[in-house]
PDB file of all heavy atoms in Angstrom:
ATOM      1  N   LEU A 154      52.956  32.085  24.031  1.00 92.00           N
ATOM      2  CA  LEU A 154      52.632  33.418  24.537  1.00 92.00           C
ATOM      3  C   LEU A 154      53.200  33.624  25.939  1.00 92.00           C
ATOM      4  O   LEU A 154      53.781  34.668  26.240  1.00 92.00           O
ATOM      5  CB  LEU A 154      51.120  33.629  24.542  1.00 92.00           C
ATOM      6  CG  LEU A 154      50.464  33.822  23.173  1.00 92.00           C
ATOM      7  CD1 LEU A 154      48.949  33.692  23.277  1.00 92.00           C
ATOM      8  CD2 LEU A 154      50.834  35.179  22.591  1.00 92.00           C
ATOM      9  N   GLU A 156      55.712  32.018  27.453  1.00 89.00           N
ATOM     10  CA  GLU A 156      57.177  32.027  27.458  1.00 89.00           C
ATOM     11  C   GLU A 156      57.730  33.291  26.819  1.00 89.00           C
ATOM     12  O   GLU A 156      58.698  33.876  27.301  1.00 89.00           O
ATOM     13  CB  GLU A 156      57.696  30.784  26.725  1.00 89.00           C
ATOM     14  CG  GLU A 156      57.405  29.486  27.466  1.00 89.00           C
ATOM     15  CD  GLU A 156      57.695  28.259  26.626  1.00 89.00           C
ATOM     16  OE1 GLU A 156      58.183  28.418  25.482  1.00 89.00           O
ATOM     17  OE2 GLU A 156      57.440  27.143  27.107  1.00 89.00           O
ATOM     18  N   GLY A 157      57.112  33.729  25.736  1.00 88.00           N
ATOM     19  CA  GLY A 157      57.597  34.916  25.037  1.00 88.00           C
ATOM     20  C   GLY A 157      57.332  36.207  25.776  1.00 88.00           C
ATOM     21  O   GLY A 157      57.975  37.228  25.516  1.00 88.00           O
ATOM     22  N   ALA A 158      56.378  36.188  26.712  1.00 88.00           N
ATOM     23  CA  ALA A 158      55.998  37.408  27.430  1.00 88.00           C
ATOM     24  C   ALA A 158      56.901  37.712  28.615  1.00 88.00           C
ATOM     25  O   ALA A 158      56.829  38.798  29.189  1.00 88.00           O
ATOM     26  CB  ALA A 158      54.556  37.304  27.908  1.00 88.00           C
ATOM     27  N   ARG A 159      57.760  36.771  28.996  1.00 84.00           N
ATOM     28  CA  ARG A 159      58.531  36.911  30.232  1.00 84.00           C
ATOM     29  C   ARG A 159      59.423  38.137  30.271  1.00 84.00           C
ATOM     30  O   ARG A 159      59.611  38.731  31.306  1.00 84.00           O
ATOM     31  CB  ARG A 159      59.363  35.651  30.464  1.00 84.00           C
ATOM     32  CG  ARG A 159      58.518  34.447  30.853  1.00 84.00           C
ATOM     33  CD  ARG A 159      59.336  33.187  30.931  1.00 84.00           C
ATOM     34  NE  ARG A 159      58.504  32.022  31.228  1.00 84.00           N
ATOM     35  CZ  ARG A 159      58.924  30.777  31.151  1.00 84.00           C
ATOM     36  NH1 ARG A 159      60.166  30.513  30.789  1.00 84.00           N
ATOM     37  NH2 ARG A 159      58.102  29.782  31.442  1.00 84.00           N
ATOM     38  N   LYS A 160      60.000  38.515  29.153  1.00 82.00           N
ATOM     39  CA  LYS A 160      60.936  39.636  29.143  1.00 82.00           C
ATOM     40  C   LYS A 160      60.427  40.801  28.305  1.00 82.00           C
ATOM     41  O   LYS A 160      61.202  41.654  27.868  1.00 82.00           O
ATOM     42  CB  LYS A 160      62.294  39.171  28.606  1.00 82.00           C
ATOM     43  CG  LYS A 160      62.966  38.128  29.495  1.00 82.00           C
ATOM     44  CD  LYS A 160      64.325  37.737  28.937  1.00 82.00           C
ATOM     45  CE  LYS A 160      64.996  36.703  29.837  1.00 82.00           C
ATOM     46  NZ  LYS A 160      66.337  36.306  29.315  1.00 82.00           N
ATOM     47  N   LYS A 161      59.117  40.840  28.107  1.00 86.00           N
ATOM     48  CA  LYS A 161      58.541  41.903  27.290  1.00 86.00           C
ATOM     49  C   LYS A 161      57.523  42.704  28.100  1.00 86.00           C
ATOM     50  O   LYS A 161      56.821  42.164  28.944  1.00 86.00           O
ATOM     51  CB  LYS A 161      57.855  41.319  26.051  1.00 86.00           C
ATOM     52  CG  LYS A 161      58.814  40.653  25.072  1.00 86.00           C
ATOM     53  CD  LYS A 161      58.063  40.080  23.885  1.00 86.00           C
ATOM     54  CE  LYS A 161      59.014  39.487  22.860  1.00 86.00           C
ATOM     55  NZ  LYS A 161      59.753  38.328  23.387  1.00 86.00           N
ATOM     56  N   THR A 162      57.439  43.981  27.823  1.00 85.00           N
ATOM     57  CA  THR A 162      56.466  44.856  28.476  1.00 85.00           C
ATOM     58  C   THR A 162      55.925  45.857  27.467  1.00 85.00           C
ATOM     59  O   THR A 162      56.495  46.029  26.384  1.00 85.00           O
ATOM     60  CB  THR A 162      57.102  45.635  29.653  1.00 85.00           C
ATOM     61  OG1 THR A 162      58.214  46.401  29.161  1.00 85.00           O
ATOM     62  CG2 THR A 162      57.582  44.690  30.744  1.00 85.00           C
ATOM     63  N   GLY A 163      54.844  46.511  27.833  1.00 87.00           N
ATOM     64  CA  GLY A 163      54.305  47.602  27.029  1.00 87.00           C
ATOM     65  C   GLY A 163      54.016  47.226  25.588  1.00 87.00           C
ATOM     66  O   GLY A 163      53.455  46.172  25.282  1.00 87.00           O
ATOM     67  N   ASN A 164      54.411  48.118  24.682  1.00 89.00           N
ATOM     68  CA  ASN A 164      54.136  47.933  23.257  1.00 89.00           C
ATOM     69  C   ASN A 164      54.839  46.717  22.675  1.00 89.00           C
ATOM     70  O   ASN A 164      54.339  46.092  21.742  1.00 89.00           O
ATOM     71  CB  ASN A 164      54.542  49.185  22.471  1.00 89.00           C
ATOM     72  CG  ASN A 164      53.614  50.353  22.741  1.00 89.00           C
ATOM     73  OD1 ASN A 164      52.438  50.161  23.062  1.00 89.00           O
ATOM     74  ND2 ASN A 164      54.126  51.564  22.624  1.00 89.00           N
ATOM     75  N   GLU A 165      56.017  46.400  23.216  1.00 92.00           N
ATOM     76  CA  GLU A 165      56.740  45.227  22.732  1.00 92.00           C
ATOM     77  C   GLU A 165      55.936  43.960  23.010  1.00 92.00           C
ATOM     78  O   GLU A 165      55.817  43.079  22.144  1.00 92.00           O
ATOM     79  CB  GLU A 165      58.109  45.128  23.410  1.00 92.00           C
ATOM     80  CG  GLU A 165      58.963  43.976  22.888  1.00 92.00           C
ATOM     81  CD  GLU A 165      60.280  43.821  23.633  1.00 92.00           C
ATOM     82  OE1 GLU A 165      60.447  44.486  24.686  1.00 92.00           O
ATOM     83  OE2 GLU A 165      61.123  43.035  23.162  1.00 92.00           O
ATOM     84  N   LEU A 166      55.356  43.868  24.209  1.00 91.00           N
ATOM     85  CA  LEU A 166      54.530  42.726  24.560  1.00 91.00           C
ATOM     86  C   LEU A 166      53.279  42.696  23.703  1.00 91.00           C
ATOM     87  O   LEU A 166      52.886  41.647  23.186  1.00 91.00           O
ATOM     88  CB  LEU A 166      54.153  42.785  26.042  1.00 91.00           C
ATOM     89  CG  LEU A 166      53.163  41.723  26.543  1.00 91.00           C
ATOM     90  CD1 LEU A 166      53.719  40.323  26.328  1.00 91.00           C
ATOM     91  CD2 LEU A 166      52.839  41.951  28.020  1.00 91.00           C
ATOM     92  N   ARG A 167      52.638  43.841  23.521  1.00 90.00           N
ATOM     93  CA  ARG A 167      51.407  43.915  22.733  1.00 90.00           C
ATOM     94  C   ARG A 167      51.660  43.480  21.283  1.00 90.00           C
ATOM     95  O   ARG A 167      50.870  42.735  20.696  1.00 90.00           O
ATOM     96  CB  ARG A 167      50.844  45.334  22.774  1.00 90.00           C
ATOM     97  CG  ARG A 167      49.520  45.507  22.022  1.00 90.00           C
ATOM     98  CD  ARG A 167      48.951  46.887  22.196  1.00 90.00           C
ATOM     99  NE  ARG A 167      48.474  47.090  23.560  1.00 90.00           N
ATOM    100  CZ  ARG A 167      49.147  47.778  24.486  1.00 90.00           C
ATOM    101  NH1 ARG A 167      50.325  48.335  24.200  1.00 90.00           N
ATOM    102  NH2 ARG A 167      48.647  47.928  25.708  1.00 90.00           N
ATOM    103  N   GLU A 168      52.767  43.925  20.704  1.00 93.00           N
ATOM    104  CA  GLU A 168      53.084  43.575  19.324  1.00 93.00           C
ATOM    105  C   GLU A 168      53.389  42.084  19.190  1.00 93.00           C
ATOM    106  O   GLU A 168      52.980  41.433  18.222  1.00 93.00           O
ATOM    107  CB  GLU A 168      54.286  44.393  18.846  1.00 93.00           C
ATOM    108  CG  GLU A 168      54.587  44.245  17.362  1.00 93.00           C
ATOM    109  CD  GLU A 168      53.435  44.667  16.476  1.00 93.00           C
ATOM    110  OE1 GLU A 168      52.633  45.542  16.885  1.00 93.00           O
ATOM    111  OE2 GLU A 168      53.321  44.110  15.354  1.00 93.00           O
ATOM    112  N   PHE A 169      54.085  41.534  20.185  1.00 93.00           N
ATOM    113  CA  PHE A 169      54.378  40.097  20.192  1.00 93.00           C
ATOM    114  C   PHE A 169      53.084  39.286  20.251  1.00 93.00           C
ATOM    115  O   PHE A 169      52.921  38.308  19.509  1.00 93.00           O
ATOM    116  CB  PHE A 169      55.268  39.748  21.386  1.00 93.00           C
ATOM    117  CG  PHE A 169      55.332  38.285  21.705  1.00 93.00           C
ATOM    118  CD1 PHE A 169      56.018  37.400  20.881  1.00 93.00           C
ATOM    119  CD2 PHE A 169      54.681  37.775  22.828  1.00 93.00           C
ATOM    120  CE1 PHE A 169      56.044  36.033  21.170  1.00 93.00           C
ATOM    121  CE2 PHE A 169      54.715  36.423  23.122  1.00 93.00           C
ATOM    122  CZ  PHE A 169      55.398  35.546  22.293  1.00 93.00           C
ATOM    123  N   VAL A 170      52.174  39.688  21.110  1.00 92.00           N
ATOM    124  CA  VAL A 170      50.893  38.987  21.244  1.00 92.00           C
ATOM    125  C   VAL A 170      50.106  39.080  19.945  1.00 92.00           C
ATOM    126  O   VAL A 170      49.553  38.085  19.457  1.00 92.00           O
ATOM    127  CB  VAL A 170      50.068  39.563  22.413  1.00 92.00           C
ATOM    128  CG1 VAL A 170      48.650  38.992  22.409  1.00 92.00           C
ATOM    129  CG2 VAL A 170      50.743  39.264  23.742  1.00 92.00           C
ATOM    130  N   THR A 194      47.207  40.532  26.260  1.00 87.00           N
ATOM    131  CA  THR A 194      48.341  41.361  26.688  1.00 87.00           C
ATOM    132  C   THR A 194      48.214  41.773  28.141  1.00 87.00           C
ATOM    133  O   THR A 194      49.158  41.648  28.929  1.00 87.00           O
ATOM    134  CB  THR A 194      48.450  42.622  25.807  1.00 87.00           C
ATOM    135  OG1 THR A 194      48.668  42.233  24.449  1.00 87.00           O
ATOM    136  CG2 THR A 194      49.601  43.507  26.261  1.00 87.00           C
ATOM    137  N   ALA A 195      47.039  42.264  28.516  1.00 83.00           N
ATOM    138  CA  ALA A 195      46.817  42.681  29.901  1.00 83.00           C
ATOM    139  C   ALA A 195      46.911  41.497  30.858  1.00 83.00           C
ATOM    140  O   ALA A 195      47.458  41.605  31.958  1.00 83.00           O
ATOM    141  CB  ALA A 195      45.454  43.356  30.029  1.00 83.00           C
ATOM    142  N   LEU A 197      48.652  38.657  30.396  1.00 84.00           N
ATOM    143  CA  LEU A 197      50.053  38.245  30.499  1.00 84.00           C
ATOM    144  C   LEU A 197      50.848  39.217  31.341  1.00 84.00           C
ATOM    145  O   LEU A 197      51.735  38.818  32.115  1.00 84.00           O
ATOM    146  CB  LEU A 197      50.666  38.145  29.094  1.00 84.00           C
ATOM    147  CG  LEU A 197      50.253  36.930  28.275  1.00 84.00           C
ATOM    148  CD1 LEU A 197      50.746  37.071  26.834  1.00 84.00           C
ATOM    149  CD2 LEU A 197      50.786  35.649  28.889  1.00 84.00           C
ATOM    150  N   ALA A 198      50.566  40.509  31.203  1.00 81.00           N
ATOM    151  CA  ALA A 198      51.265  41.521  31.997  1.00 81.00           C
ATOM    152  C   ALA A 198      51.033  41.287  33.485  1.00 81.00           C
ATOM    153  O   ALA A 198      51.938  41.427  34.310  1.00 81.00           O
ATOM    154  CB  ALA A 198      50.812  42.912  31.597  1.00 81.00           C
ATOM    155  N   ALA A 199      49.802  40.899  33.841  1.00 74.00           N
ATOM    156  CA  ALA A 199      49.488  40.610  35.251  1.00 74.00           C
ATOM    157  C   ALA A 199      50.207  39.355  35.729  1.00 74.00           C
ATOM    158  O   ALA A 199      50.745  39.312  36.824  1.00 74.00           O
ATOM    159  CB  ALA A 199      47.983  40.455  35.419  1.00 74.00           C
ATOM    160  N   LEU A 200      50.232  38.325  34.875  1.00 73.00           N
ATOM    161  CA  LEU A 200      50.865  37.064  35.257  1.00 73.00           C
ATOM    162  C   LEU A 200      52.373  37.209  35.430  1.00 73.00           C
ATOM    163  O   LEU A 200      52.958  36.597  36.316  1.00 73.00           O
ATOM    164  CB  LEU A 200      50.582  35.987  34.210  1.00 73.00           C
ATOM    165  CG  LEU A 200      49.162  35.415  34.163  1.00 73.00           C
ATOM    166  CD1 LEU A 200      49.063  34.373  33.070  1.00 73.00           C
ATOM    167  CD2 LEU A 200      48.769  34.822  35.503  1.00 73.00           C
ATOM    168  N   THR A 201      53.017  38.004  34.566  1.00 70.00           N
ATOM    169  CA  THR A 201      54.470  38.120  34.628  1.00 70.00           C
ATOM    170  C   THR A 201      54.940  38.971  35.810  1.00 70.00           C
ATOM    171  O   THR A 201      56.135  39.063  36.046  1.00 70.00           O
ATOM    172  CB  THR A 201      55.014  38.724  33.318  1.00 70.00           C
ATOM    173  OG1 THR A 201      54.329  39.965  33.037  1.00 70.00           O
ATOM    174  CG2 THR A 201      54.845  37.776  32.161  1.00 70.00           C
ATOM    175  N   GLN A 202      54.007  39.570  36.531  1.00 65.00           N
ATOM    176  CA  GLN A 202      54.380  40.316  37.734  1.00 65.00           C
ATOM    177  C   GLN A 202      54.643  39.399  38.910  1.00 65.00           C
ATOM    178  O   GLN A 202      55.168  39.809  39.930  1.00 65.00           O
ATOM    179  CB  GLN A 202      53.277  41.306  38.123  1.00 65.00           C
ATOM    180  CG  GLN A 202      53.101  42.442  37.129  1.00 65.00           C
ATOM    181  CD  GLN A 202      51.954  43.351  37.516  1.00 65.00           C
ATOM    182  OE1 GLN A 202      51.526  43.397  38.676  1.00 65.00           O
ATOM    183  NE2 GLN A 202      51.413  44.089  36.561  1.00 65.00           N
TER     184      GLN A 202
END
Side-chain angles (χ1 to χ4, degrees):
L154 287 167
E156 292 170 3
R159 289 174 183 169
K160 296 182 179 180
K161 294 179 177 65
T162 58
N164 289 332
E165 184 184 10
L166 174 60
R167 182 175 290 102
E168 188 59 28
F169 164 72
V170 171
T194 299
L197 285 171
L200 287 180
T201 53
Q202 293 177 21

